[in-house]
């Protein structure tokens, strides 16, 4: 049990949770890329994998700046999000439906990260740790961009599914 006495302790505790979350994602994203059918979705997951590896490096930089040990604390929330997301891969589904489900899972992950990075960035700012805050802000921006890219791909995907739905009704 770690004692959390001040904002720096809380910041470090949250960074350790994120450090584990990002590690989990470096293992999950290759599987998601493999399961994706649309080339643009596969590419988006592959791109975000390399960004995620950089997110791990940045967290290590932040630990160093704060003079703390880079240590992971199991992130149960990320474990749950990844578990739920992988359930669809076991089901029989059409390519478009699977892609849409992968995007739904990935966007839950990105929103979790956006919330977490906004918090740690604000904590770092409040502690006067400007360099750490700016590093965390870079990652926050990339999580936001990824979320937007996923929304764009989802729109195409869902439009296609809606059209297919109309088509199926007409051919009955
Ligand atoms: Fe990340
Ligand atoms: Fe991310």
């Amino acid at each position: 049990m770690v004692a959390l006495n001040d904002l720096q302790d809380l910041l470090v505790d949250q960074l350790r949770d994120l450090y584990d979350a990002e590690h989990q994602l470096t293992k999950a994203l290759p599987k998601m890329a493999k399961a994706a059918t649309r080339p643009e979705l596969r590419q988006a997951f592959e791109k975000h994998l390399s960004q995620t590896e950089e997110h791990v490096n940045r967290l290590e930089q932040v630990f160093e700046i704060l003079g703390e040990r880079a240590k992971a604390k199991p992130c149960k929330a990320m474990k749950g999000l990844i578990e739920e997301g992988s359930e669809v891969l076991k089901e029989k589904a059409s390519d478009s439906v699977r892609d849409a489900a992968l995007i739904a899972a990935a966007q839950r992950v990105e929103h979790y990260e956006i919330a977490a990075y906004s918090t740690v960035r604000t904590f770092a700012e409040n502690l006067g740790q400007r360099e750490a805050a700016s590093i965390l802000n870079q990652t926050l921006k990339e999580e936001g961009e990824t979320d937007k890219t996923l929304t764009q791909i989802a729109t195409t995907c869902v439009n296609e599914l809606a059209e297919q739905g109309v088509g199926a009704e007409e051919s009955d």
Side-chain angles (χ1 to χ4, degrees):
M1 228 20 196
V2 204
L4 303 174
N5 297 313
D6 53 27
L7 189 57
Q8 164 122 357
D9 287 353
L10 185 58
L11 170 61
V12 171
D13 188 65
Q14 303 230 334
L15 289 169
R16 287 180 173 156
D17 182 278
L18 261 173
Y19 192 49
D20 181 67
E22 295 282 22
H23 271 293
Q24 289 186 47
L25 287 170
T26 60
K27 289 177 197 130
L29 280 164
K31 291 176 197 160
M32 294 169 81
K34 221 178 125 191
T37 303
R38 292 174 167 272
E40 68 264 40
L41 182 57
R42 183 168 302 197
Q43 277 163 25
F45 286 146
E46 281 164 358
K47 182 182 173 191
H48 200 53
L49 171 62
S50 57
Q51 287 177 328
T52 299
E53 284 161 356
E54 188 54 29
H55 298 173
V56 171
N57 294 335
R58 287 192 191 130
L59 285 171
E60 286 168 359
Q61 286 173 41
V62 170
F63 283 121
E64 205 178 321
I65 290 168
L66 297 174
E68 302 279 352
R69 199 157 59 90
K71 207 176 96 182
K73 172 187 171 183
C75 179
K76 290 177 199 155
M78 188 56 74
K79 190 167 177 259
L81 287 172
I82 292 171
E83 264 172 24
E84 270 195 15
S86 64
E87 275 168 20
V88 70
L89 304 180
K90 296 175 205 143
E91 311 282 340
K92 255 177 80 180
S94 75
D95 290 348
S96 293
V97 169
R98 181 175 297 107
D99 278 359
L102 283 166
I103 295 170
Q107 286 195 290
R108 280 173 167 78
V109 167
E110 292 316 309
H111 280 244
Y112 178 84
E113 291 188 285
I114 289 166
Y117 277 103
S118 304
T119 300
V120 289
R121 180 200 55 186
T122 305
F123 285 0
E125 273 167 5
N126 281 295
L127 288 163
Q129 294 283 357
R130 286 171 66 182
E131 198 191 346
S134 121
I135 292 170
L136 295 167
N137 195 49
Q138 283 174 45
T139 297
L140 177 60
K141 263 173 63 188
E142 287 173 4
E143 312 293 16
E145 284 160 12
T146 302
D147 182 50
K148 284 204 189 82
T149 304
L150 290 170
T151 297
Q152 280 166 8
I153 303 172
T155 308
T156 338
C157 215
V158 170
N159 280 346
E160 239 180 59
L161 279 168
E163 277 166 29
Q164 280 168 19
V166 171
E169 259 170 33
E170 278 169 352
S171 64
D172 272 357

